[in-house]
Amino acid sequence: MPKPIAQDAQGQVQAWIILQRDLEKAPNTVAAYARGITDFTSFCRERGIDPLDVSKSTIAAYLGDLRARPPGGGREGRADDESSPSTSPSNASLRHRLTIVRLFYDHLVEEGLRTTNPVPRGRRGVARHRGERGLVPVHRPLPWIPSEAQWRAVLDAARTDPVRNRLMLALAYDCALRREELCALEASDIDPAHRLVTIRAETTKTKVGRVVPYSAVTGDLLAAYLRERRALGRARGRLFLSTSPRNRGRPIGKWTWSKVVRALGHRADAPRLGTHTMRHLCLTDLARVGWDIHEIAQFAGHRSVQSTLLYIHLSARDLSAKFAATAAELHKARLAVIAGVAR
């Protein structure tokens, strides 16, 4: 029978969760931290381990327990059948769970209840050669970028959408907006006279504000939407308002926009379309037309060009055309001998 969690450990868990709330973390973040650390302490209780006195081996065992579960599965949903590796959760999910545990033990170290953190941090550069690696490797798959035909299908499917949704799609692409940035736009952030959008620092992931332009097409959609918006409410506030009978005139949330994009992708036969696709496509298009990487980083609101490089995904056709125009003859000359071609 599982041993109860020591009272001291349970108190520290509750204190840490309260601390996250008092630090004004987003409610969803606090809830995720609470679920994650509660799951870990349940794992410890099943094995009779005091959560205040775990070792790296306990963390490794917990990681194995997580891998044995189906995606999204709780402790009651573990999959013990090793013949079904395809049901394992993603590396991103595993890293998220371990990050929660690591933050909890950072707190314990700061409080003087432990001297070390049992969850190893992944390090870059020289430190990685010293064996200082994270328990779960980072996988960075290429972002999905729609082809010209796929993007045209998305636009064709959007033609019948309300003008608000079409404007949001256009702004998301024109300005490379994150979902949160788009939904947080206020009417006062728009400068129609100069076709500029101000993305306020407090609405961004990196807390870096920026001002970016939008196209004439988007300007026409904006003018049409503002006429509709005046019927929903005269207050400046949020730009995008709900038209549903239940929430009429209230700002729409990021999940509403996610549902709109998901439905649009379904109608366009582009199931991989997401709210971030327009941002990826915009930054890639800027690279296609010759923008400097630093200019693209500033446009995107990235602190580092390394982040920008992860977003830019030139298609095989783009790279093939550039290769043919700039490097094909050089490569041919260097490899001529092994092909039996006389130099």
Side-chain angles (χ1 to χ4, degrees):
M1 183 175 180
K3 292 173 61 178
I5 301 176
Q7 193 64 34
D8 287 349
Q10 186 63 40
Q12 288 300 323
V13 168
Q14 293 302 320
W16 182 70
I17 294 172
I18 293 171
L19 175 64
Q20 307 314 303
R21 186 192 63 200
D22 291 345
L23 289 173
E24 298 186 351
K25 298 284 179 67
N28 287 343
T29 299
V30 176
Y33 282 8
R35 286 193 302 270
I37 198 61
T38 298
D39 183 82
F40 175 70
T41 54
S42 295
F43 169 84
C44 292
R45 183 180 66 246
E46 289 179 2
R47 285 156 179 76
I49 299 171
D50 183 350
L52 300 184
D53 191 32
V54 305
S55 63
K56 186 176 178 180
S57 62
T58 305
I59 302 299
Y62 178 60
L63 180 60
D65 183 80
L66 290 173
R67 284 184 169 134
R69 307 180 197 177
R75 300 203 46 70
E76 70 284 353
R78 289 197 304 273
D80 296 324
D81 182 3
E82 296 181 359
S83 66
S84 303
S86 62
T87 63
S88 297
S90 67
N91 273 33
S93 296
L94 296 174
R95 287 173 58 82
H96 174 67
R97 288 298 190 100
L98 289 186
T99 296
I100 293 171
V101 177
R102 175 172 56 78
L103 291 174
F104 172 66
Y105 283 104
D106 278 344
H107 166 73
L108 295 185
V109 171
E110 291 175 1
E111 293 296 309
L113 298 174
R114 284 185 61 98
T115 57
T116 60
N117 190 324
V119 185
R121 282 177 166 80
R123 304 290 180 87
R124 294 181 178 181
V126 176
R128 183 166 290 178
H129 295 290
R130 297 173 181 162
E132 298 177 15
R133 296 172 179 246
L135 292 175
V136 182
V138 179
H139 292 168
R140 298 192 184 277
L142 289 173
W144 178 74
I145 301 293
S147 66
E148 290 302 312
Q150 289 169 324
W151 181 241
R152 180 55 189 267
V154 169
L155 297 180
D156 285 341
R159 289 174 63 184
T160 57
D161 269 13
V163 66
R164 184 202 69 189
N165 294 353
R166 286 181 281 148
L167 173 60
M168 293 182 74
L169 180 71
L171 279 173
Y173 169 74
D174 263 349
C175 305
L177 297 180
R178 301 177 178 94
R179 178 180 61 169
E180 291 78 4
E181 295 170 350
L182 179 65
C183 294
L185 283 178
E186 296 191 354
S188 58
D189 295 331
I190 309 294
D191 179 1
H194 300 93
R195 292 209 301 265
L196 295 174
V197 176
T198 297
I199 296 95
R200 289 167 285 116
E202 62 269 24
T203 70
T204 70
K205 179 180 179 181
T206 58
K207 305 307 176 187
V208 175
R210 62 194 191 277
V211 179
V212 293
Y214 58 85
S215 66
V217 171
T218 301
D220 292 339
L221 289 169
L222 175 64
Y225 171 67
L226 289 178
R227 289 192 293 270
E228 287 192 2
R229 187 184 180 280
R230 280 192 285 271
L232 295 172
R234 294 282 180 173
R236 298 285 283 174
R238 291 288 181 87
L239 178 61
F240 298 114
L241 305 179
S242 174
T243 58
S244 71
R246 182 178 180 182
N247 297 309
R248 185 177 177 82
R250 297 179 62 183
I252 71 166
K254 59 184 182 181
W255 301 116
T256 298
W257 176 232
S258 294
K259 291 177 182 177
V260 168
V261 172
R262 190 180 305 117
L264 179 59
H266 179 74
R267 298 200 310 272
D269 195 23
R272 298 181 68 184
L273 184 74
T275 57
H276 227 56
T277 300
M278 283 64 74
R279 180 171 166 85
H280 283 298
L281 180 59
C282 173
L283 300 184
T284 298
D285 280 348
L286 294 180
R288 284 168 172 161
V289 297
W291 277 40
D292 178 83
I293 187 65
H294 296 280
E295 296 171 331
I296 299 174
Q298 183 176 356
F299 191 94
H302 287 150
R303 291 181 181 273
S304 166
V305 295
Q306 297 302 317
S307 299
T308 309
L309 290 172
L310 296 175
Y311 276 73
I312 295 174
H313 173 41
L314 297 179
S315 70
R317 183 175 297 178
D318 295 323
L319 296 176
S320 179
K322 189 164 188 175
F323 181 85
T326 60
E329 288 302 317
L330 173 61
H331 282 240
K332 178 181 176 182
R334 290 194 183 281
L335 299 175
V337 172
I338 62 172
V341 179
R343 292 193 298 175

